[in-house]
Amino acid sequence: MTVTRPPAGMLSVLDRPNSYIGKTVPRPNLDRLLQGRGQYVSDLELPRMAHVVFLRSPYAHAKIVAIDADVAKRMSGVISIVTGRELEAVITPWVGVLSHLKGLKSAPQHAIAVDRACWQGEAVAAIVATSRAAAEDAMEHISVDYEELEAVTDMRTALDPATHVIHPSLGDNLAFERTLNAGDVDHALLGSEVVEADFVFGRHTGVTLEPRAVVADWSAAEGRLTIYQGTQAPHMVQNIAALHLGLREAQVRVICKDVGGSFGIKVHIYADEMATYALSKLLRRPIKFVADRVESFNTDIHARDHRCRGRIGVRPDGTITAFEIDDLTGIGPYSMYPRTSAIEANQVVNLVGGPYLTPNYRARARVVFQNKNVMCQYRAVGHPIACSVTEGLVDLAAARIGMDPVEIRRRNLIADDAYPCASPSGMKFEQLSHHASLAKLLQMMDYDALRAEQAALRAKNVHRGIGIASFIEVTNPSAAFYGVGGAKISSQDGVAVRLDAQGSVICQTSITEQGQGSESLTAQIVGSVLGVSMDRVRVTLGDTDNTPYGGGTWASRGAGIGGEAALQAAKALRQNILDVAAAILQSTPAELDIVTNSIINAGDGAPRMELNELARIVYFRPDTLPPGIQPELMATRHFVPRQYPFAFTNGIQASWLEIDTDTGFVTLLKHWVVEDCGTIINPQLVDEQIRGGVVQGLGAALFEKCIYDERGQLTNANMADYLVPMSGEMPDIDIGHVVSPTRESELGAKGAGEAGTAGAAAAVANAVNDALRPFGTKITEIPLTPQVILTALGRI
Amino acid sequence: MKAVAFAYARATSVVNALELLAAHGDKAKVLSGGQSLMPAMNLRLLSPDILIDIGGLAELRGIAVRGDVLVVGALTRHVDLLGSPEIALHAPLLRDAVAHVAHPAIRNRGTIGGSLAHADPASELPACVLALDATIVVRGPAGERRIAATEFFKGIYETALSPDELLVAVEVPVAGQGTAFFFQEYARRHGDYAIVGLAACAVVAASSFSDLRLGFFAVGDRPVLAAAAGKLINASVTPALLAEATAALADELDPQEDQQATAAMRRHLAAALLRRCAAALLARPELEKGATR
Ligand SMILES: Cc1cc2nc3c(=O)[nH]c(=O)nc-3n(C[C@H](O)[C@H](O)[C@H](O)COP(=O)(O)OP(=O)(O)OC[C@H]3O[C@@H](n4cnc5c(N)ncnc54)[C@H](O)[C@@H]3O)c2cc1C
């Protein structure tokens, strides 16, 4: 498809009377959800449905010598107990690699462990019973004879020759390594001050309100598997389920209604979900699996467990001369399927230094196996690491040369008129707005006044800090992300729009909704472009039988890609409607328009005919239409970005906080974000996406961490000990925008869903160091717990 | 996370509850607000055969003043402590403390009897009853027993209650002239169990303490009435004396290490709380900084 944008100053297809674009309109699904009428898989009941509970390995690494389920099998309510070996008959194992991540290796992973469990929490047997409680009762009576094996837990020693190799067939514990060398780092560092630091990140996880949930229903009569699942990517699930169950894709239907949060957690294929599909086929009845909270902590993907050594070169005038990183991450025993666990480290390499001018950049990233839960893509994949390292280094460099953190950024951020351009890692930027964003941020936060306040309070022994973090964000991914590596994960999306017999619109889209507003943005775009009021637009999502084929919602792609498909489909339908209207009204399409559900004269706005009247004629009295007219009141369009692999966005965040140096407690006082996601479809949805994302980043900064002991036991797998950020600790978050639409689409929207998460932790870490500057401490570890701060201050 | 199947009995009177307890012994558990018991059962950490629900027993409800004693029924919910005028007047420490207990949904159900019987060493209310020099009233097959709060807490989740006894009320001496209270805790998030906390009750006269009871919590296997308070009673509180008291406190406490804090950090925070407490109660902000640093 070729896309043209009108030259500046001309009205676009979006600038129409009664347009919903750029307006805060309530989301169409709000009343339904607030009145408790959501349809979550967790609540789904089907006739003859059984429940599965997984017996999970208590060891991080153990040989499964024998499983004795005789007593459990005879317990009341138990339907079947199935081991990995038995399930192998119905489902094949998989290997989570992609060909464009050169050298990435992993071992075959089974739906249920066969012979060996590789992390604490890996499923070892399935108990299927008439209720979850009955299955849990039976589970207590299964005895497994384990032989504990040496567990690899510390990523720093995973590659040592003395360390046990988790998968002997792979030769070592190195899953993936990437190096990059751009410009001339050594030369650049020669004449520079060099500052170096080790950045340490806590492993964390998504903690969705509704845990992972699936009901799989194999109908032997139809030879068809229906999967009800809270997923971000229904067509991907269809493809993978079919592939490993030996079915054609047409034999698998994936239905995804309401999803209680996902944050990237629900875009993967989990072993226990695969086991649930297989169990349904094996036992020929609907099977339900809903992870409980403890299972969620032990098996929902983790992320962000990185240790990254960073170096920056800076000249006395503030010029940043080079960035260098050496990143290490431990991903658990398998690379996750099918998106792999190398993407996060790969993104870190891609993104470090991204906002800045220097062409000199050297990086190494190593991804190692461990006997811990698997890590994979979670909201803002790799961005928080890259941003924390980059922005932490920039602040350290500024401190070294005695320059204000704002000034060093002003001198080094890529100029707003320098686009298009590329980063040293080869990322192509179409149009970013770092300087405009910085200027807006300073104005919003009244930077100079805040600095004065900080100085005044310091004299009173009150320690406040300001932290700033610029960032870039990958959105609207093309096939470059997964498709080129061989994954059957679509990067294009489709939307079908049709006018019904009363002039309302039904719209099917392949993007999905997990609370971010996909349904709303689709209705807003379709309503605006067609000239139909939003209450007459019905959006259907999440059903592989009933929507066009597409990728779903992840990597901040819903609005930019699915939204453009909606726009083009609505344009096509509009044209079709005007053609029919012209025939009925003996006019020409160019002389007519559709506004607020009616055909009007484009020239004087005079009403000519209501849409429902047009629909009545088309559907019930086609005999009255002029000969040769065959109305098509349905149109379908697809879209995928082709020119740029990703639509990069940018933004900047700032944090203002206070530290009690006696106790180590941090109080967040205020947070600001300026971001540029191009065209804004619904300001409220965008702002709330950013706020929610910021809160996740603040959780990383201060609270969240999966704590493993040296034997690979996750020791805080519950909501009391794993601290998610809560409203009581959150500051007000002010949001501003700069708008640089992408020219790859007529809509001009880029993604906004991950921007908040990308930079929040970096801003907080910089603010903490700023507050503690008088004490000469430097902390480059998150979460910034009171224990960490008091230790750095030498108080304990 | 489903509880093992259990039987359920709703007690019709305290006597009936005691009969049920006698019949089922340690296979039974009393169900009060359920805010500690039910999570433990869902995690299968506890699997009683039978729950004896005391929720309907009007005799265990209510807050009343009898002479110079404030009687708080075991079924008094956290939310009632927050709103009660009697508590505000006679034992405001309980009100201040309970604001830090969990969140509204939990405070709407959790009870003072349940909290004390549960005896979580990081709980607020057990430390308060120590500081307030309260008496715990229990009933068993042999009748009523009155146990001083200082004798009630025996260890992590352990109390002087035996399995066939019911905690029925807490008696708190009514606050007298010059009585002042201090409550503060350090928790990672509002509503979390504290890393370290202090519930204090003092009698302040002529800028010094004529009495001082310091109930520390989350510093050991049970709430601790700190002996270090003795150093500050009837003395002129100087930064040096306060430093002596905090040093004594550090020696006296035997805190555990967990994911939130090492023992050293708990001692450090307890000392900070003691300084803040003295500074606040004596209205001398300069004491807060201490002589240590
Ligand atoms: C998310 C969450 C956060 C929380 N945070 C805090 C916090 O910060 N601070 C805090 O102190 N608490 C906290 N709690 C616990 C809460 O305060 C509970 O209400 C309290 O610990 C127990 O009171 P309950 O009435 O719910 O007792 P239950 O849960 O019903 O019972 C607890 C135990 O006491 C026994 N018991 C109860 N009543 C009696 C009685 N009258 N006689 C004899 N035995 C009895 C029960 O058999 C059981 O063993 C939290 C709870 C939750 C779920």
Side-chain angles (χ1 to χ4, degrees):
Chain A
M1 163 196 313
T2 52
V3 166
T4 44
R5 279 180 68 75
M10 250 184 73
L11 289 185
S12 83
V13 64
L14 300 171
D15 303 314
R16 293 173 39 76
N18 304 328
S19 169
Y20 295 105
I21 306 301
K23 299 218 175 87
T24 289
V25 287
R27 8 160 134 192
N29 56 11
L30 215 50
D31 288 345
R32 190 171 59 79
L33 295 176
L34 291 178
Q35 290 180 22
R37 299 305 304 266
Q39 291 184 298
Y40 297 93
V41 178
S42 306
D43 297 329
L44 182 67
E45 296 284 341
L46 293 180
R48 289 185 70 245
M49 186 178 84
H51 298 256
V52 62
V53 165
F54 293 96
L55 175 66
R56 297 180 181 277
S57 170
Y59 297 106
H61 199 190
K63 200 169 160 216
I64 303 161
V65 181
I67 300 176
D68 180 358
D70 286 352
V71 176
K73 275 182 179 159
R74 290 195 300 273
M75 286 177 64
S76 109
V78 173
I79 293 165
S80 183
I81 294 180
V82 182
T83 63
R85 183 72 72 207
E86 287 158 347
L87 204 63
E88 251 187 336
V90 228
I91 190 162
T92 55
W94 55 88
V95 181
V97 295
L98 287 171
S99 63
H100 67 312
L101 297 163
K102 289 200 179 48
L104 171 62
K105 60 192 194 232
S106 188
Q109 184 180 358
H110 297 268
I112 297 179
V114 175
D115 293 338
R116 188 170 65 123
C118 288
W119 83 92
Q120 179 225 355
E122 183 171 7
V124 167
I127 301 98
V128 182
T130 48
S131 71
R132 170 127 195 155
E136 286 189 22
D137 285 348
M139 183 160 71
E140 293 189 345
H141 292 88
I142 300 179
S143 70
V144 183
D145 184 3
Y146 292 103
E147 185 183 309
E148 198 176 351
L149 302 171
E150 193 182 322
V152 180
T153 55
D154 189 342
M155 66 168 94
R156 288 168 297 184
T157 53
L159 298 178
D160 290 356
T163 301
H164 181 86
V165 174
I166 297 176
H167 305 294
S169 64
L170 300 181
D172 58 25
N173 289 326
L174 183 67
F176 177 67
E177 176 162 6
R178 179 177 169 202
T179 55
L180 184 116
N181 202 345
D184 189 342
V185 170
D186 292 328
H187 182 77
L189 291 180
L190 270 181
S192 308
E193 296 266 3
V194 179
V195 191
E196 195 170 297
D198 284 318
F199 294 86
V200 181
F201 300 84
R203 193 180 241 258
H204 50 122
T205 183
V207 197
T208 56
L209 199 53
E210 185 195 21
R212 291 186 294 111
V214 53
V215 173
D217 183 10
W218 169 253
S219 160
E222 285 180 293
R224 220 167 176 233
L225 179 68
T226 304
I227 297 172
Y228 303 86
Q229 184 165 336
T231 174
Q232 298 172 234
H235 283 104
M236 182 195 83
V237 171
Q238 177 191 45
N239 167 261
I240 303 271
L243 182 66
H244 292 280
L245 291 167
L247 302 172
R248 283 174 292 109
E249 283 182 24
Q251 289 177 278
V252 179
R253 176 181 180 189
V254 178
I255 298 175
C256 172
K257 295 199 171 174
D258 294 306
V259 183
S262 53
F263 316 121
I265 297 299
K266 295 178 184 168
V267 78
H268 312 292
I269 298 288
Y270 289 86
D272 45 25
E273 293 164 1
M274 290 282 258
T276 307
Y277 315 152
L279 285 166
S280 176
K281 192 150 177 267
L282 189 73
L283 303 174
R284 300 161 75 103
R285 63 193 299 164
I287 310 276
K288 181 177 199 172
F289 168 63
V290 181
D292 70 22
R293 193 53 73 183
V294 177
E295 286 180 299
S296 299
F297 277 110
N298 279 300
T299 62
D300 286 6
I301 57 111
H302 294 176
R304 321 257 207 264
D305 196 0
H306 285 242
R307 308 182 71 94
C308 186
R309 160 150 298 209
R311 294 170 87 198
I312 187 171
V314 65
R315 284 207 290 260
D317 68 354
T319 307
I320 296 171
T321 54
F323 284 100
E324 179 171 13
I325 60 158
D326 188 2
D327 183 48
L328 179 64
T329 177
I331 54 160
Y334 298 104
S335 171
M336 193 73 183
Y337 194 56
R339 291 168 193 250
T340 87
S341 305
I343 297 278
E344 191 179 57
N346 200 52
Q347 291 277 64
V348 173
V349 173
N350 284 341
L351 298 173
V352 164
Y356 297 101
L357 283 164
T358 178
N360 305 308
Y361 174 41
R362 185 159 58 207
R364 175 171 77 154
R366 286 171 302 158
V367 176
V368 302
F369 293 115
Q370 304 159 298
N371 295 110
K372 293 183 182 173
N373 183 25
V374 285
M375 288 223 309
C376 199
Q377 284 78 289
Y378 162 56
R379 194 177 196 171
V381 190
H383 292 69
I385 315 286
C387 182
S388 292
V389 171
T390 305
E391 295 302 289
L393 288 172
V394 169
D395 264 28
L396 289 174
R400 171 67 65 87
I401 59 169
M403 186 175 276
D404 186 276
V406 166
E407 189 54 31
I408 194 170
R409 288 177 172 80
R410 216 177 249 142
R411 293 185 188 201
N412 288 282
L413 287 166
I414 300 171
D416 291 356
D417 61 4
Y419 302 95
C421 65
S423 76
S425 63
M427 299 294 107
K428 291 201 233 162
F429 303 136
E430 182 195 8
Q431 177 64 56
L432 302 179
S433 57
H434 288 300
H435 289 269
S437 300
L438 174 63
K440 180 146 200 172
L441 179 86
L442 297 179
Q443 173 217 327
M444 280 166 63
M445 67 193 288
D446 199 350
Y447 183 73
D448 295 333
L450 219 52
R451 280 281 177 221
E453 187 179 341
Q454 176 186 37
L457 286 169
R458 224 167 233 176
K460 296 183 191 152
N461 213 18
V462 173
H463 299 284
R464 293 195 176 176
I466 301 171
I468 292 184
S470 287
F471 63 91
I472 52 173
E473 189 204 339
V474 171
T475 78
N476 295 3
S478 70
F481 226 159
Y482 298 111
V484 298
K488 300 269 184 355
I489 299 170
S490 185
S491 53
Q492 62 86 57
D493 275 282
V495 173
V497 192
R498 82 170 191 262
L499 196 71
D500 81 1
Q502 290 194 322
S504 292
V505 177
I506 293 171
C507 167
Q508 292 137 337
T509 176
S510 60
I511 63 169
T512 53
E513 164 86 59
Q514 303 103 39
Q516 63 276 76
S518 301
E519 192 178 330
S520 183
L521 74 89
T522 305
Q524 283 181 255
I525 292 168
V526 168
S528 301
V529 174
L530 267 183
V532 170
S533 53
M534 253 178 92
D535 59 2
R536 294 203 185 180
V537 181
R538 232 194 113 61
V539 180
T540 299
L541 327 83
D543 183 347
T544 54
D545 267 9
N546 285 311
T547 68
Y549 200 94
T553 302
W554 39 272
S556 299
R557 65 190 298 288
I561 298 178
E564 177 68 8
L567 183 152
Q568 296 302 337
K571 256 175 82 177
L573 177 58
R574 189 182 133 76
Q575 191 55 53
N576 293 355
I577 292 170
L578 290 178
D579 286 347
V580 181
I584 296 173
L585 299 169
Q586 296 174 353
S587 177
T588 63
E591 288 172 302
L592 300 171
D593 195 359
I594 314 172
V595 171
T596 325
N597 312 313
S598 290
I599 310 288
I600 60 164
N601 280 336
D604 61 10
R608 298 295 304 273
M609 174 186 223
E610 293 198 1
L611 276 182
N612 63 355
E613 174 60 7
L614 180 140
R616 185 191 66 80
I617 294 171
V618 167
Y619 289 123
F620 306 119
R621 294 303 308 275
D623 56 313
T624 64
L625 290 170
I629 292 281
Q630 175 53 61
E632 283 295 345
L633 296 189
M634 178 161 185
T636 305
R637 288 293 182 273
H638 292 78
F639 177 71
V640 66
R642 299 283 293 277
Q643 197 183 345
Y644 285 88
F646 310 105
F648 267 92
T649 70
N650 69 283
I652 187 162
Q653 304 197 16
S655 166
W656 171 237
L657 52 75
E658 182 171 322
I659 301 180
D660 181 336
T661 54
D662 237 7
T663 63
F665 277 74
V666 175
T667 305
L668 302 172
L669 300 171
K670 184 98 188 191
H671 201 94
W672 297 266
V673 182
V674 176
E675 71 82 59
D676 183 348
C677 64
T679 304
I680 294 171
I681 298 161
N682 184 327
Q684 186 181 45
L685 286 178
V686 169
D687 286 1
E688 294 313 324
Q689 276 297 300
I690 290 171
R691 283 198 181 91
V694 164
V695 166
Q696 261 169 328
L698 297 177
L702 298 184
F703 300 111
E704 295 185 56
K705 185 176 183 180
C706 298
I707 303 172
Y708 275 90
D709 69 13
E710 65 285 354
R711 291 178 63 195
Q713 298 285 320
L714 181 57
T715 58
N716 62 338
N718 62 70
M719 297 295 287
D721 297 319
Y722 181 95
L723 307 181
V724 296
M726 292 176 69
S727 56
E729 283 61 51
M730 292 301 106
D732 282 347
I733 302 167
D734 276 4
I735 294 165
H737 300 279
V738 173
V739 178
S740 313
T742 172
R743 295 187 168 267
E744 264 218 89
S745 68
E746 203 167 342
L747 182 61
K750 309 186 227 181
E754 300 171 283
T757 315
V764 168
N766 282 349
V768 164
N769 281 315
D770 186 53
L772 297 181
R773 198 137 291 138
F775 300 87
T777 59
K778 174 180 89 180
I779 310 178
T780 51
E781 171 185 352
I782 58 169
L784 289 149
T785 65
Q787 176 89 40
V788 166
I789 290 174
L790 284 181
T791 307
L793 286 169
R795 301 265 151 123
I796 49 172
Chain B
M1 282 172 56
K2 303 285 179 205
V4 178
F6 54 87
Y8 171 91
R10 189 158 171 89
T12 53
S13 64
V14 169
V15 172
N16 175 231
L18 292 174
E19 282 164 7
L20 287 164
L21 279 174
H24 296 282
D26 58 10
K27 294 204 160 51
K29 272 277 170 196
V30 173
L31 172 66
S32 187
Q35 298 304 291
S36 294
L37 184 56
M38 297 317 298
M41 287 173 62
N42 286 340
L43 285 164
R44 296 196 173 210
L45 299 172
L46 280 180
S47 42
D49 288 354
I50 179 169
L51 286 189
I52 300 168
D53 184 353
I54 57 169
L57 303 185
E59 5 172 4
L60 299 182
R61 288 192 193 288
I63 301 169
V65 183
R66 295 207 195 110
D68 55 2
V69 174
L70 181 69
V71 184
V72 182
L75 276 182
T76 304
R77 300 194 191 275
H78 300 336
V79 64
D80 301 330
L81 294 179
L82 269 179
S84 152
E86 288 87 0
I87 297 286
L89 190 61
H90 301 298
L93 185 65
L94 291 174
R95 176 203 57 197
D96 295 349
V98 96
H100 294 263
V101 175
H103 310 280
I106 293 148
R107 295 200 292 256
N108 285 342
R109 287 192 170 270
T111 65
I112 190 167
S115 181
L116 299 178
H118 189 58
D120 187 314
S123 263
E124 288 81 356
L125 295 177
C128 290
V129 298
L130 280 189
L132 291 168
D133 201 11
T135 303
I136 315 290
V137 186
V138 310
R139 290 248 292 275
E144 192 170 283
R145 280 207 294 152
R146 310 165 70 73
I147 309 168
T150 46
E151 298 301 314
F152 187 73
F153 302 101
K154 299 294 187 193
I156 298 180
Y157 309 133
E158 270 181 53
T159 67
L161 271 177
S162 56
D164 55 1
E165 285 179 321
L166 203 61
L167 193 162
V168 295
V170 185
E171 293 178 355
V172 182
V174 164
Q177 272 292 315
T179 307
F181 301 100
F182 174 89
F183 186 91
Q184 198 172 330
E185 68 176 44
Y186 298 126
R188 294 286 298 280
R189 302 173 303 183
H190 287 85
D192 279 352
Y193 281 101
I195 298 179
V196 175
L198 170 59
C201 176
V203 181
V204 180
S207 294
S208 77
F209 294 117
S210 58
D211 191 17
L212 178 63
R213 294 174 67 88
L214 300 174
F216 279 95
F217 52 103
V219 290
D221 69 349
R222 68 195 84 173
V224 173
L225 190 67
K231 295 209 178 282
L232 302 177
I233 295 174
N234 295 325
S236 154
V237 179
T238 60
L241 183 67
L242 195 51
E244 219 179 281
T246 56
L249 178 68
D251 285 344
E252 175 183 357
L253 298 180
D254 183 17
Q256 280 154 354
E257 165 156 11
D258 63 15
Q259 292 177 345
Q260 306 302 341
T262 58
M265 173 156 159
R266 287 206 153 83
R267 287 199 172 91
H268 174 88
L269 291 180
L273 275 178
L274 177 49
R275 284 196 299 273
R276 285 175 187 191
C277 171
L281 290 175
L282 299 174
R284 286 174 51 199
E286 82 282 1
L287 288 175
E288 190 181 317
K289 288 190 201 81
T292 43
R293 252 164 240 274

